[in-house]
Amino acid sequence: MNPNQNREIRREPQKTTPNPHLPSDSQNEFSFLSSTYPSNNTTVIAGCRVQERLKEHNFTFPWGGFGTIFTKRSIERFIQPIHNCSSHDDPLLDPETKKSLKTLRHRELTDDEFERLVCSKVKENGIGEVFLFEEGMNVADLMYKYVTHWNFVDAEKHWKRYKVFSQKHGGFCLHADWVIGYFVNHYYLSSHYVGKYTYFRDNPEHRIRGYNGSEVYAGERKSLPGQCKNQDESICDLETAHICHHMSASNMREVLPQTRQSETLLGVRSSLEMDHHVSD
């Protein structure tokens, strides 16, 4: 064994310069994210959020190609085990204001409150998930089990044939974006959000935010706000965009020419950290 193998290696920190190929705004993108959406807040942000027509049904979901951002706290909620659902049968009220926990905005939910709300939502059985839930599951487990339990079905033919959704006559017929929208909004993975429309003030399932106001109505294609306008490489302004949709491999190489070099440096750094850990 090489006697120097586990010896701590000290290197001078490498000097970094702004990448001229990155959008100018992107140099401060992470500072914007951390200040606007703090990691200790339960927040899920869609790169571009889609709002269905209110008079038809209220539902928001992330436009998939623009990505979805989970804060640290929202990830912790996502993987928090849920227990004792059979014992949770309460009015779900905030002890401070006596108002519904479902639309709580003046503070974060406690772990116990989150667990009670999830149990309540499981019992509502919005998309036929109740029989899949098991003691100790977390929301991530439930979502995974839901999307893998059935084969994909044609929704129109399925409903015409069975007229009901059940364990026996179930089927998976959701777009991936809708799955994220349902579980984030209905399972309290993000704190309640009102936005610019007071209509949503008491709507408990209005939770996903659009990145810095990037929100669009379903079917809308003109005058898109924020990052939603960056629909493909021919439209996306690489100098100002934080998020782009339908980026080609050539565009990615243009925007991030140092990706492979960075990966190599990270690999070396991880190796050095592992050696240092072993020597301790």
Side-chain angles (χ1 to χ4, degrees):
M1 179 180 293
N2 186 340
N4 297 320
Q5 182 175 359
N6 292 330
R7 185 175 298 171
E8 181 179 355
I9 301 175
R10 299 183 180 275
R11 296 178 183 267
E12 292 296 323
Q14 295 189 353
K15 296 181 180 180
T16 59
T17 57
N19 185 344
H21 296 277
L22 283 173
S24 56
D25 284 359
S26 294
Q27 306 295 342
N28 297 316
E29 181 176 352
F30 291 108
S31 61
F32 167 80
L33 276 171
S34 61
S35 60
T36 308
Y37 310 109
S39 63
N40 61 337
N41 287 356
T42 310
T43 312
V44 177
I45 310 102
C48 175
R49 194 195 70 170
V50 180
Q51 169 74 63
E52 291 286 356
R53 296 172 179 84
L54 300 182
K55 292 184 179 180
E56 296 177 6
H57 55 276
N58 173 56
F59 185 56
T60 60
F61 59 90
W63 191 341
F66 288 89
T68 307
I69 303 166
F70 285 66
T71 64
K72 177 183 177 182
R73 188 59 180 147
S74 65
I75 293 173
E76 291 172 347
R77 290 289 193 221
F78 200 25
I79 60 175
Q80 177 180 329
I82 307 300
H83 297 282
N84 304 317
C85 275
S86 59
S87 65
H88 291 309
D89 188 16
D90 56 53
L92 300 171
L93 298 180
D94 174 18
E96 298 177 21
T97 65
K98 305 304 179 185
K99 294 182 179 180
S100 175
L101 291 173
K102 294 181 179 181
T103 55
L104 188 65
R105 292 185 299 276
H106 69 281
R107 64 172 175 81
E108 287 278 308
L109 294 168
T110 66
D111 289 348
D112 177 68
E113 289 167 344
F114 171 73
E115 188 170 330
R116 288 157 54 197
L117 285 165
V118 168
C119 288
S120 175
K121 184 57 66 173
V122 169
K123 293 175 183 178
E124 287 183 16
N125 196 30
I127 54 175
E129 68 269 37
V130 65
F131 78 94
L132 295 170
F133 181 80
E134 298 176 4
E135 178 75 9
M137 266 188 172
N138 54 46
V139 178
D141 295 329
L142 181 60
M143 185 170 80
Y144 177 78
K145 197 162 186 177
Y146 185 85
V147 301
T148 58
H149 182 76
W150 294 289
N151 293 325
F152 182 81
V153 298
D154 184 301
E156 186 175 355
K157 293 179 180 178
H158 179 83
W159 290 112
K160 284 182 177 179
R161 180 178 180 183
Y162 295 113
K163 308 295 183 184
V164 68
F165 190 95
S166 64
Q167 181 175 355
K168 182 178 180 181
H169 299 303
F172 182 70
C173 56
L174 298 177
H175 192 286
D177 300 348
W178 304 345
V179 174
I180 296 174
Y182 176 75
F183 280 96
V184 170
N185 283 319
H186 288 256
Y187 278 85
Y188 309 94
L189 299 182
S190 188
S191 57
H192 186 249
Y193 172 61
V194 177
K196 58 183 178 180
Y197 299 108
T198 56
Y199 174 89
F200 299 111
R201 183 169 299 279
D202 297 315
N203 187 317
E205 285 82 38
H206 196 252
R207 297 181 176 275
I208 295 178
R209 292 155 171 75
Y211 182 91
N212 197 23
S214 301
E215 303 172 1
V216 62
Y217 268 91
E220 187 177 353
R221 289 293 183 270
K222 296 181 179 179
S223 302
L224 300 179
Q227 305 303 310
C228 298
K229 65 178 178 289
N230 304 322
Q231 293 189 50
D232 58 55
E233 59 184 276
S234 65
I235 300 174
C236 192
D237 184 351
L238 301 181
E239 291 300 317
T240 60
H242 286 194
I243 300 169
C244 292
H245 186 240
H246 284 165
M247 291 291 285
S248 66
S250 60
N251 271 130
M252 293 300 293
R253 285 192 291 269
E254 178 185 354
V255 175
L256 299 174
Q258 300 175 4
T259 299
R260 290 186 177 180
Q261 179 183 356
S262 299
E263 290 175 348
T264 301
L265 290 173
L266 285 172
V268 171
R269 186 176 301 163
S270 298
S271 176
L272 293 174
E273 289 174 350
M274 179 62 73
D275 287 344
H276 177 59
H277 177 72
V278 171
S279 65
D280 290 343

